[in-house]
Amino acid sequence: MFRSHGQWPLREIWNIAPDNHPAYKSFVYYDRLRYQLMPYLYSLAGWAHFKDYTLMRALVMDFNGDSEVENVGNQWMLGPALMACPVGYYKARNRSVYFPAQTGWYDLYSGEKIIDSDPTAAANSSLFTLHSSLSSRRLVVDAPYEQIPVFVREGAIIPFGPAMQWSDEKPAELINLYVYAGQDGEFQLYEDEGTNYNYEKGKYATIDITYDDASSTVTFGARKGQFPGMLKQRRFNVVLVGKDAPKPLNLENPEGKMVTYNGKAVSVKL
């Protein structure tokens, strides 16, 4: 769900700022990003129903055992892959971010490796400043006016779909599947008709996707289930992001390895 409630002041994006204003451009960017993230977000919603999953999660839920996260109240996970770090102070253009120690982290937008899972190692990036007075897992990151800091954990698998104006405008025949190297990963893609409650009658489908870091191999499991209107065949463009091969987030024409998927298990070495 993504809604701005109320009538006054007017809340439509085009009423907030002129179309050449950075605030307007930022709103439009994240609105488009949200719809292209629909395969990821809709899968999380499916997990919430079938697995009692929590979409928006305090860090302690994913990184239990790291005592530092118990005192972090202004960062959170959106699903298993994305760590959102919003800025809530007027005119602030950077902020301190704690990077949980069980994994390394990438910048969502640039694809740069920010910090390794080794707590003493930080990647060579222009995006942060290491505070000598803080732990090596806490960095001061840039937070430009137009952009919220968002980071991706190692082993993350994130499916991006087509540009859309509403959630069921078109099926995700082509999914740009971003995979972040450094750890093994897994993701279950969930789909149904999207407009009714037939999933309660078993009309839905899932595809288990795994990444083996040692062999740089992505495996798509056999599709389970079906529903009316389901795509029988689709394409996955697999984009591998690594410490030595950063790739900026590109949802128009990212360079990757194309996989045609017809519901049967298939593996691809990246």
Side-chain angles (χ1 to χ4, degrees):
M1 306 289 279
F2 178 58
R3 299 187 289 202
S4 296
H5 287 273
Q7 182 177 3
W8 303 105
L10 295 173
R11 284 169 166 78
E12 297 88 353
I13 291 175
W14 56 87
N15 278 313
I16 290 174
D19 58 10
N20 61 347
H21 193 280
Y24 174 86
K25 293 178 180 179
S26 181
F27 272 112
V28 171
Y29 173 83
Y30 285 103
D31 185 50
R32 290 175 174 168
L33 179 62
R34 186 257 182 180
Y35 280 101
Q36 291 190 263
L37 269 171
M38 195 55 65
Y40 179 76
L41 297 174
Y42 203 79
S43 293
L44 302 186
W47 302 358
H49 177 78
F50 289 102
K51 303 179 182 182
D52 296 329
Y53 188 74
T54 306
L55 280 71
M56 180 177 171
R57 306 160 65 86
L59 297 186
V60 71
M61 295 180 71
D62 289 79
F63 305 105
N64 191 7
D66 183 344
S67 60
E68 289 290 324
V69 302
E70 298 174 8
N71 300 311
V72 177
N74 58 358
Q75 301 170 216
W76 57 82
M77 297 298 294
L78 178 60
L82 300 173
M83 182 171 68
C85 306
V87 176
Y89 295 96
Y90 182 53
K91 291 189 177 181
R93 295 295 179 263
N94 59 40
R95 62 153 292 173
S96 174
V97 171
Y98 179 74
F99 293 89
Q102 290 95 323
T103 182
W105 294 90
Y106 293 84
D107 179 78
L108 172 66
Y109 310 104
S110 71
E112 286 188 75
K113 188 75 170 290
I114 298 300
I115 193 165
D116 287 321
S117 52
D118 178 355
T120 64
N124 181 21
S125 172
S126 60
L127 298 173
F128 67 82
T129 302
L130 179 62
H131 262 209
S132 59
S133 60
L134 301 173
S135 102
S136 61
R137 305 294 305 185
R138 186 174 290 278
L139 310 174
V140 174
V141 305
D142 288 342
Y145 182 92
E146 302 89 347
Q147 200 172 80
I148 178 178
V150 181
F151 302 96
V152 187
R153 65 180 298 170
E154 289 177 335
I157 299 174
I158 308 178
F160 292 90
M164 298 189 298
Q165 296 291 315
W166 60 92
S167 61
D168 61 336
E169 178 184 356
K170 63 185 78 168
E173 184 277 327
L174 171 62
I175 285 180
N176 290 311
L177 192 76
Y178 274 72
V179 178
Y180 294 81
Q183 291 186 6
D184 294 345
E186 60 182 22
F187 186 84
Q188 184 182 75
L189 183 68
Y190 169 88
E191 297 177 300
D192 59 29
E193 293 173 81
T195 57
N196 55 46
Y197 291 91
N198 284 340
Y199 59 87
E200 295 180 346
K201 303 174 184 177
K203 295 181 179 180
Y204 62 90
T206 60
I207 301 171
D208 291 326
I209 306 170
T210 59
Y211 168 66
D212 181 76
D213 192 57
S215 62
S216 292
T217 300
V218 171
T219 298
F220 300 88
R223 182 171 50 224
K224 299 175 184 177
Q226 59 182 335
F227 57 90
M230 181 185 73
L231 287 172
K232 302 296 184 182
Q233 181 171 295
R234 61 149 38 100
R235 294 171 296 157
F236 289 96
N237 180 35
V238 185
V239 182
L240 180 64
V241 183
K243 179 178 180 178
D244 299 322
K247 293 185 179 178
L249 185 62
N250 174 1
L251 300 181
E252 299 301 321
N253 54 352
E255 181 181 350
K257 198 157 191 176
M258 195 67 71
V259 178
T260 299
Y261 180 80
N262 60 10
K264 298 180 180 179
V266 60
S267 296
V268 56
K269 187 172 177 60
L270 304 175

